[in-house]
Amino acid sequence: MKDYVVGWGTLALINAGLAQGKNRSGINWFILSLITGPVATLLLVLSSNEPKQEETSDI
């Protein structure tokens, strides 16, 4: 059982990194991955990248 929990947690961390690479919220995908596991990985792999939001300054 311990190996299963460690593997599930590792997958959640990998998904968080993958999500951040696609300009998505890492913490949200980490939590979603803890609940859904490999389904979240599939959704991330199939999703497209979100465009980066440019910061604007009012100087």
Side-chain angles (χ1 to χ4, degrees):
M1 180 70 175
K2 181 181 176 183
D3 292 336
Y4 180 76
V5 172
V6 170
W8 203 269
T10 302
L11 180 63
L13 286 172
I14 291 169
N15 286 344
L18 182 61
Q20 287 181 339
K22 291 188 171 222
N23 300 321
R24 300 178 185 272
S25 171
I27 188 69
N28 289 342
W29 279 93
F30 175 78
I31 294 168
L32 182 66
S33 296
L34 287 176
I35 298 167
T36 63
V39 175
T41 306
L42 180 64
L43 292 173
L44 274 169
V45 168
L46 295 177
S47 69
S48 62
N49 293 347
E50 287 192 0
K52 287 188 176 184
Q53 295 178 354
E54 295 183 22
E55 293 182 20
T56 58
S57 61
D58 297 329
I59 299 178

